[in-house]
DNA sequence: TTCGCCCGTCGAAGCGCTTCGACATCGGGC
DNA sequence: GCCCGATGTCGAAGCGCTTCGACGGGCGAA
């Protein structure tokens, strides 16, 4: 193994100079640095990760905790993971993969052994048991998703309020005047899930600003509930022509229910959703939708972590702008 | 941070004794060990990973290289990854996630910096450019999948020959006397892909042993090709009642083609496949199939690596027994 | 000219752990 | 009763890197 002293000898300098030349933590003359870099190249020098971590108290490794739970969209998780790894490499860091299963003990372990410098958590729960731990870990962390109470921590996610707004604005732009939001199950709002409420706020606010008539309907995650909501919508808002769905589980049954009620999409009814692209694309009528920008979230999460590692202050909450993908389910209001 | 000297002081022994007590690399009296362990618990001691790696020249980290390429079945990859992480944790190791994108340079980097002790590669190509690198890396590695030439390396995968056999035996057991294999595209056989040829060998051998009439049909990965193969099968083997499909891309079109030709499954034709469970389950007629046992492959890969790290010799090739899942697509031969 | 300063470099002291050799103690075999 | 080999423990020497303090030389200011 070639070590720093070998490089030093070859370049005719001391080991500390080599270290400084490579880390640029102290001024080194251009000429000396050139010689050092040449020696590094010629010898194929690679600093020993363990030694570096021990000496410099930085391992240059991030922990990424991925969820396993049922109901998780695996391809989305994978996209997060890949974007995190790629972004981390861009900052000269590697990524250690932890499974949710390892739980708090796993987090504590990798943090306490200084195996990692910082952590990224995915699939954060509203009342996530790991929050107090994160606060006391003594290492920077970023959560992908928003728990109900995250003071002192850092979160990043899609801006669900803007997503709600974007859906409404899209419909308004197509001429729709009466819209409805089919939302999450009632208990989600009761628990105060941040992202669900944000959607409602965005939806309602945008509808008001655009002068649309609007209504919000929470909906259980069952096909039967979807059917009931569909019927109720038509009864209570006979002039309804635009629907926003923020409830993955009922999107398909809801579309079916509308069809069974004799409504054509988008002829009679335009539908937009906030859901994974795969779901929106796979339906009989592909649905105009806003998806979670996994790649961007991952990259930004890493960036936040790097800034925290550098001692910078970062915002507690980062919200990413939604992007709406037009598909077959939305069209201009037809004046029947 | 609590360090080994703190533990030593508390337990009233020297640091080296603590080290030996914990690693059990030298005999330590039961009583002393108890005291050391108590001190560890009371102080919440965690050995510093970097120091450990530096002192002991073992980082206790494995690298896992996951594929990104198009056409990759992401959930399957994820299942591999999770099983590798879980198995690694069972051996007190962590897992560093590398993306295929990083390429050979990434492998060299994590190996040369001693960030990892050993490597696991997924999605191995037949003539994988990384093979010579693996041989020269000076660290143990295991490949999931078989390249065409892997002397001196270690591979593990599903036993595709046995999978071919199992399909035939299942059909033979149901009374079928004339069977066909719809295989991979011709060029796959031309290139000598190990796993494709193994399936053919297993299929043919088992058919011969069972006294069945059999034929093998390579098939391009297009719906049109699937239709052509379906027609040809019926023309050339009029008495055909059993089909084995080893070509994910054409399974669905092939089933459709048979339906369009007026054959009912499994009434007229029994079909088995070697493909991911999700695909087999998702078809109109769920297909009896043999899937890649991702969890087991991952766990075994880690085990092989651990044995190599321990200096043991391990077999170059490990083949896992296939397991056939019965679904609706196979039934007894009906004597029309 | 001299003082003080900054630039560029060096030497040495760790970082926290493992491991090697040494040493003391204790039995058992002759 | 003595020697020898286990057995159990200790001290010290690294592992390869970073970093701190120091130092010499050059330069601008006084």
């Amino acid at each position: 193994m070639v070590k720093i002293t070998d490089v030093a000898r070859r370049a005719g300098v001391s080991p500390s100079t080599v270290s400084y030349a490579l880390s640029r933590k102290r001024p080194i003359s251009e000429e000396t640095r050139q010689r050092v870099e040449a020696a590094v190249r010629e010898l194929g020098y690679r600093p020993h990760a363990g030694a570096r971590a021990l000496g410099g108290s930085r391992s240059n490794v991030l922990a990424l905790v991925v969820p396993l739970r049922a109901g998780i969209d695996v391809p989305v998780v994978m996209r997060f993971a890949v974007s995190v790894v790629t972004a981390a490499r861009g900052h000269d860091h590697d990524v250690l993969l932890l499974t949710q299963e390892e739980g708090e003990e796993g987090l504590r372990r990798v943090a306490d052994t200084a195996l990692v410098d910082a952590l990224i958590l995915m699939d954060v729960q509203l009342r996530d048991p790991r929050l107090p731990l994160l606060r006391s870990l003594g290492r920077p962390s970023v959560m992908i998703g928003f728990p109900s109470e995250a003071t002192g921590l850092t979160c990043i996610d899609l801006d669900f309020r803007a997503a709600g707004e974007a859906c409404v604005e899209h419909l308004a732009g197509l001429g729709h005047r009466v819209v409805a939001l089919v939302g999450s199950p009632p208990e989600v709002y009761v628990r105060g899930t941040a992202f669900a409420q944000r959607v409602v706020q965005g939806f309602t606010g945008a509808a008001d600003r655009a002068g649309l008539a609007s209504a919000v309907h929470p909906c259980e995650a069952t096909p039967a509930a979807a059917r009931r909501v569909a019927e109720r919508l038509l009864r209570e808002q006979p002039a309804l022509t635009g629907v926003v769905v923020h409830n993955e589980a009922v999107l398909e049954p809801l579309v079916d229910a509308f069809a069974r009620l004799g409504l054509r999409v988008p002829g009679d009814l335009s539908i937009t959703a906030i859901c994974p692209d795969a779901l929106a694309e796979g339906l009989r009528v592909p649905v105009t939708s806003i998806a979670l920008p996994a790649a961007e979230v991952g990259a930004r999460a890493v960036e936040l972590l790097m800034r925290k590692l550098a001692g910078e202050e970062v915002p507690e909450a980062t919200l990413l702008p939604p992007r709406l993908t037009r598909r077959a389910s939305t069209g201009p209001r037809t004046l029947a």
Side-chain angles (χ1 to χ4, degrees), chain A:
Chain A
M1 182 192 195
V2 28
K3 39 190 155 188
I4 201 171
T5 52
D6 301 326
V7 175
R9 199 174 316 119
R10 175 110 180 190
V13 297
S14 77
S16 57
T17 299
V18 173
S19 180
Y20 286 125
L22 296 178
S23 72
R24 314 198 165 206
K25 291 193 177 170
R26 276 197 188 180
I28 293 290
S29 72
E30 186 53 28
E31 188 233 324
T32 303
R33 186 182 18 258
Q34 298 288 347
R35 253 184 310 133
V36 168
E37 280 168 2
V40 165
R41 248 175 287 119
E42 290 158 19
L43 267 37
Y45 168 66
R46 303 274 202 176
H48 184 288
R52 224 227 273 256
L54 182 55
S57 60
R58 274 294 176 80
S59 68
N60 277 33
V61 175
L62 308 180
L64 174 68
V65 188
V66 304
L68 285 177
R69 290 212 321 259
I72 292 293
D73 188 333
V74 177
V76 168
V77 169
M78 201 67 181
R79 248 179 286 151
F80 273 115
V82 168
S83 71
V84 165
V85 172
T86 307
R89 286 302 311 138
H91 294 272
D92 191 31
H93 280 244
D94 277 286
V95 173
L96 200 78
L97 189 60
L98 297 183
T99 61
Q100 202 93 293
E101 216 165 32
E102 271 232 70
E104 305 185 40
E105 164 56 18
L107 295 186
R108 208 185 319 249
R109 182 174 54 81
V110 296
D112 287 355
T113 59
L115 223 195
V116 307
D117 295 333
L119 308 94
I120 297 182
L121 306 214
M122 296 182 54
D123 190 40
V124 178
Q125 317 271 56
L126 257 194
R127 295 187 38 72
D128 202 299
R130 299 168 297 184
L131 296 188
L133 178 61
L134 283 186
R135 290 202 180 83
S136 68
L137 225 41
R139 302 198 178 269
S141 59
V142 168
M143 289 177 282
I144 295 180
F146 282 79
S148 50
E149 217 292 299
T151 351
L153 297 170
T154 307
C155 308
I156 182 170
D157 210 344
L158 175 66
D159 184 340
F160 281 95
R161 172 202 295 259
E165 288 172 354
C167 287
V168 170
E169 283 157 12
H170 174 64
L171 292 173
L174 289 166
H176 299 276
R177 310 298 304 158
V178 180
V179 297
L181 169 67
V182 176
S184 306
E187 62 268 31
V188 172
Y189 298 97
V190 172
R191 285 183 310 202
T193 313
F195 79 95
Q197 290 184 325
R198 287 214 175 95
V199 170
V200 172
Q201 290 166 5
F203 171 84
T204 309
D208 291 352
R209 279 195 298 284
L212 309 189
S214 72
V216 175
H217 297 260
C219 180
E220 296 291 345
T222 68
R227 275 192 296 278
R228 261 177 279 128
V229 166
E231 286 160 16
R232 194 142 58 86
L233 282 177
L234 301 192
R235 199 180 333 121
E236 298 179 6
Q237 298 175 277
L240 181 74
T241 62
V243 175
V244 177
V245 182
H246 179 218
N247 184 330
E248 299 182 22
V250 303
L251 179 55
E252 179 157 23
L254 198 62
V255 172
D256 286 349
F258 285 133
R260 216 164 299 143
L261 290 169
L263 295 177
R264 268 160 321 171
V265 174
D268 302 312
L269 205 59
S270 282
I271 298 181
T272 81
I274 303 173
C275 70
D277 274 335
L279 174 57
E281 279 166 8
L283 296 181
R284 267 186 318 119
V285 181
V287 173
T288 295
S289 72
I290 289 173
L292 200 59
E296 194 183 349
V297 174
R300 296 286 296 274
V302 170
E303 237 130 74
L304 286 169
L305 226 34
M306 291 301 144
R307 289 174 49 197
K308 289 180 90 168
L309 280 171
E312 282 179 52
E313 286 284 320
V314 304
E316 294 197 342
T318 302
L319 293 167
L320 268 62
R323 263 191 300 275
L324 184 139
T325 304
R326 271 202 71 156
R327 298 202 181 80
S329 70
T330 51
R333 180 172 67 128
T334 52
L335 301 168

